Amino acid sequence: MKKKYKIFVVGLGSLGLNYMRAIAKLSLKAQVFYFDKNKSALNQKFSNSKNIDYFKVKNIINFNKKIDLVIIATTAKGRLKLIETLLKNKCKYWILEKMIEQNISATNKIKKILSKYKC
């Protein structure tokens, strides 16, 4: 039985949706969790397929799953707090579209926090 990967996409703007489209084309089996703080973006529908099952995350603070890959496609504002919130999920790999925050101190903290992960 093939492993079912767990992927979490945070941010469903243009970049996040591009990731969702790319994931849908993969031949691997995956559970894709997705979140956006904008309710209309979050209410987009994604159709399950033979390989991919989609799950909407309504509350990121209460989300607690072991994740193989986290993709952060959000704006820089609040990114440090978002990463700190997601650390409890024991994420193996991270993709950050931008390795920045609103100030250099927060950016340096992100760098330090994620230095022990594949990012």
Side-chain angles (χ1 to χ4, degrees), residues 46-106:
F46 299 98
S47 298
N48 291 344
S49 68
K50 179 179 157 193
N51 291 329
I52 310 290
D53 296 317
Y54 294 96
F55 302 93
K56 181 189 316 187
V57 175
K58 294 180 182 177
N59 185 334
I60 201 165
I61 293 170
N62 295 332
F63 181 72
N64 192 9
K65 293 222 181 274
K66 203 172 201 177
I67 298 294
D68 295 297
L69 173 64
V70 172
I71 300 170
I72 298 180
T74 63
T75 61
K77 186 176 181 181
R79 185 166 293 193
L80 174 60
K81 185 176 180 184
L82 172 63
I83 291 168
E84 290 172 336
T85 300
L86 293 174
L87 283 173
K88 71 181 178 294
N89 294 302
K90 299 177 181 76
C91 309
K92 290 183 190 176
Y93 302 99
W94 296 74
I95 295 176
L96 274 70
E97 270 307 316
K98 299 168 218 82
M99 182 70 177
I100 57 172
E101 234 287 6
Q102 291 294 346
N103 61 60
I104 194 72
S105 173

